[in-house]
């Protein structure tokens, strides 16, 4: 379980860092600014989760997450022409990070002995909160609050994890299933323009 957790968090860190750095680049941030945004995107959700669970934030016990973010920054710098050419690259990495960190949040919460409903909430926070911090840093209204299915994808992925657990499915299959569900929900929501109804000021008068 711990090995799977580390692999998921490492991959999620790289994917989310790429996403954050790509957004920072779109705002003409310098390299340091890009690193800060990438790091905040990668560790933000997990930090909030760990503080709420009462454990030491994961990145404070292993410097690999700092190094991983630096590798993501270097990747964007070296392959920037390729990344810019594929305009949906940021979306791909954001989706992968969302799915990976949702699973990581679920697993860590269960490992700490909390009930499943708490694990599902923590999965959502781990997956989505980093993106909220990223959007605040680049002065954008957080994506999670204005369009597309984002946190809902984390919720559905958490329910899929719970269903697999109830049927005594192996941890490996459960992780893969939950990951694929989050990715599928997010991709379908964007492809078919599925979103929750919006609040309008005139409706409140």
């Amino acid at each position: 379980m711990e090995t799977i957790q580390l692999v998921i968090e490492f991959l999620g860190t790289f994917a989310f860092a790429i996403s954050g750095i790509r957004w920072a680049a779109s705002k003409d941030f310098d390299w340091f600014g890009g690193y800060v945004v990438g790091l905040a995107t990668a560790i933000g959700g997990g930090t909030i989760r760990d503080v709420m669970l009462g454990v030491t934030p994961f990145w404070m016990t292993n410097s690999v997450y700092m190094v991983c973010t630096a590798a993501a920054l270097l990747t964007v710098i070296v392959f920037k022409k390729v990344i810019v050419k594929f305009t949906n690259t940021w979306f791909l990495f954001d989706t992968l990070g969302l799915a990976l960190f949702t699973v990581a949040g679920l697993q860590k919460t269960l490992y700490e002995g909390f009930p499943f409903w708490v694990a599902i909430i923590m999965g959502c926070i781990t997956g989505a909160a980093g993106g909220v911090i990223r959007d605040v840093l680049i002065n954008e209204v957080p994506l999670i609050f204005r369009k597309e299915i984002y946190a809902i994808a984390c919720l559905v992925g958490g329910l899929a994890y719970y269903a697999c657990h109830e049927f005594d499915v192996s941890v490996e299959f459960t992780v893969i299933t939950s990951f694929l569900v989050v990715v599928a929900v997010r991709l379908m929501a964007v492809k078919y323009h599925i979103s929750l109804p919006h609040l309008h000021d005139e409706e409140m008068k």
Side-chain angles (χ1 to χ4, degrees):
M1 177 70 78
E2 290 184 357
T3 301
I4 295 175
Q5 180 78 20
L6 287 173
V7 171
I8 290 174
E9 288 191 344
F10 183 83
L11 293 175
T13 298
F14 187 80
F16 257 8
I18 287 283
S19 169
I21 293 166
R22 178 70 182 88
W23 274 107
S26 71
K27 294 287 186 175
D28 293 323
F29 282 29
D30 62 18
W31 287 9
F32 178 75
Y35 181 84
V36 170
V37 174
L39 184 63
T41 306
I43 70 173
T47 301
I48 294 173
R49 173 203 65 208
D50 288 348
V51 170
M52 294 181 72
L53 294 179
V55 300
T56 303
F58 67 103
W59 58 270
M60 296 178 69
T61 60
N62 194 337
S63 61
V64 69
Y65 302 102
M66 303 294 182
V67 176
C68 184
T69 302
L73 176 63
L74 183 61
T75 299
V76 172
I77 293 171
V78 173
F79 298 103
K80 61 182 179 181
K81 292 183 179 180
V82 177
I83 292 176
V84 169
K85 187 181 297 184
F86 296 99
T87 56
N88 288 327
T89 299
W90 68 266
F91 169 74
L92 173 62
F93 281 106
D94 186 67
T95 300
L96 293 176
L98 181 70
L100 289 165
F101 269 12
T102 297
V103 174
L106 284 160
Q107 287 194 301
K108 188 163 189 178
T109 306
L110 293 173
Y111 181 77
E112 293 295 328
F114 287 87
F116 239 109
W117 65 271
V118 176
I120 292 175
I121 293 173
M122 290 301 157
C124 292
I125 290 174
T126 308
V132 173
I133 296 172
R134 173 201 66 207
D135 291 343
V136 170
L137 288 175
I138 64 173
N139 197 31
E140 291 280 352
V141 177
L143 180 68
I144 187 177
F145 299 140
R146 57 191 170 90
K147 65 177 182 178
E148 300 176 4
I149 298 297
Y150 202 82
I152 299 298
C154 302
L155 176 61
V156 176
L159 293 175
Y161 194 107
Y162 174 72
C164 289
H165 181 271
E166 288 297 296
F167 285 99
D168 293 322
V169 178
S170 67
V171 174
E172 293 80 4
F173 185 83
T174 299
V175 166
I176 293 173
T177 299
S178 182
F179 170 83
L180 291 177
V181 167
V182 175
V183 171
V185 170
R186 180 99 167 92
L187 292 178
M188 288 195 315
V190 171
K191 180 177 181 179
Y192 297 106
H193 306 289
I194 301 171
S195 63
L196 296 176
H198 289 191
L199 289 171
H200 300 286
D201 187 57
E202 58 270 18
E203 296 175 359
M204 308 300 291
K205 297 179 180 178

